[in-house]
């Protein structure tokens, strides 16, 4: 194993151990049929979101492939009235995640947000939850835990969203899974398929 790979593995392990016991991990597979309204896009994506309201950390990792036309925006919406269904307003920063790759059909994105900062939230989401970051964090955590939050990716073909997936609680990902996310969606899906076969 070369030094670069060892350094990446060590960094991933450190990141996972740095999260406090109050951190919760959420995952989603993003597809067109899960959008509202559903569409027939062949694109697919995978997301791992970690949220720790105690330390005000929101980590977002997304990989996607096969958008029909280039990407425009991405964010997390919360909170729908029915778990796993419906639509909701954007909860995270607007108009899109800072630094999200626009103008591509395949890509990956990683960012960490300090949720004690107003800039990490959509002003409308803040306003509807008491106008404070504490109120936004509480509502966001409740929505994530209830299955009422989703991550989607918008494109030039589908300005309302080409692919989306509802975030569901998941165990802490293994360092290898985190590393695979950086390699793209096919690797993430392969890992998920292998885990399903083992159970």
């Amino acid at each position: 194993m070369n030094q670069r790979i060892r350094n990446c593995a060590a960094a991933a392990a450190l990141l996972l151990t740095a999260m406090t016991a109050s951190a919760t991990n959420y995952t989603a597979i993003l597809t067109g049929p899960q959008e509202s309204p559903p569409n027939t896009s062949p694109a697919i994506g995978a997301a791992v979101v970690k949220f720790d309201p105690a330390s005000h950390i929101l980590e977002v990792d997304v990989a996607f492939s096969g958008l029909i036309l280039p990407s425009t925006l991405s964010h997390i919406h919360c909170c729908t009235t029915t778990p796993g269904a419906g639509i909701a307003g954007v909860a995270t920063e607007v108009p899109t995640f800072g630094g999200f790759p626009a103008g591509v059909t395949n890509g990956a994105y990683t960012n960490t947000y300090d949720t004690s900062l107003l800039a990490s939230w959509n002003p409308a989401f803040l306003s509807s939850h008491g106008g404070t970051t504490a109120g936004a964090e509480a509502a966001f955590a409740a929505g994530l835990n209830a299955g009422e939050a989703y991550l989607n990716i918008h494109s030039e073909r589908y300005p309302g969203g080409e692919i989306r997936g509802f975030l569901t609680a998941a165990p802490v990902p293994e360092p290898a899974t985190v590393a695979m996310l950086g390699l793209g969606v096919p690797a993430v899906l392969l890992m998920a398929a292998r885990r399903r076969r083992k159970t």
Side-chain angles (χ1 to χ4, degrees):
M1 182 179 341
N2 70 33
Q3 187 61 39
R4 187 173 182 192
I5 293 173
R6 277 195 295 270
N7 289 345
C8 287
L14 182 61
L15 178 63
L16 290 174
T17 57
M19 297 297 288
T20 67
S22 59
T24 304
N25 298 278
Y26 305 89
T27 61
I29 298 298
L30 288 63
T31 65
Q34 292 185 84
E35 269 293 355
S36 183
N39 65 61
T40 58
S41 171
I44 191 162
V48 176
V49 172
K50 290 180 242 174
F51 184 46
D52 184 356
S55 62
H56 312 289
I57 294 174
L58 172 64
E59 295 179 16
V60 179
D61 291 286
V62 184
F64 60 96
S65 179
L67 296 178
I68 294 173
L69 287 176
S71 57
T72 55
L73 308 168
S74 182
H75 28 238
I76 298 173
H77 296 250
C78 190
C79 305
T80 63
T81 57
T82 304
I87 60 171
V90 175
T92 53
E93 72 175 315
V94 290
T96 187
F97 288 131
F100 187 81
V104 297
T105 57
N106 306 297
Y109 173 76
T110 298
N111 204 352
T112 301
Y113 293 90
D114 178 345
T115 57
S116 69
L117 301 176
L118 294 174
S120 296
W121 301 102
N122 177 355
F125 188 76
L126 278 167
S127 178
S128 64
H129 295 96
T132 67
T133 57
E137 286 175 326
F140 189 63
L144 284 167
N145 290 326
E148 299 167 349
Y150 58 90
L151 189 148
N152 72 345
I153 298 174
H154 303 242
S155 71
E156 293 175 11
R157 172 64 178 89
Y158 293 100
E162 182 163 341
I163 56 176
R164 82 168 179 172
F166 276 84
L167 294 158
T168 57
V172 175
E174 300 163 6
T177 303
V178 174
M180 291 302 241
L181 185 59
L183 297 176
V185 173
V188 173
L189 297 179
L190 179 61
M191 292 283 289
R194 285 181 181 157
R195 282 191 180 160
R196 279 194 295 273
R197 282 198 296 267
K198 287 181 183 177
T199 57

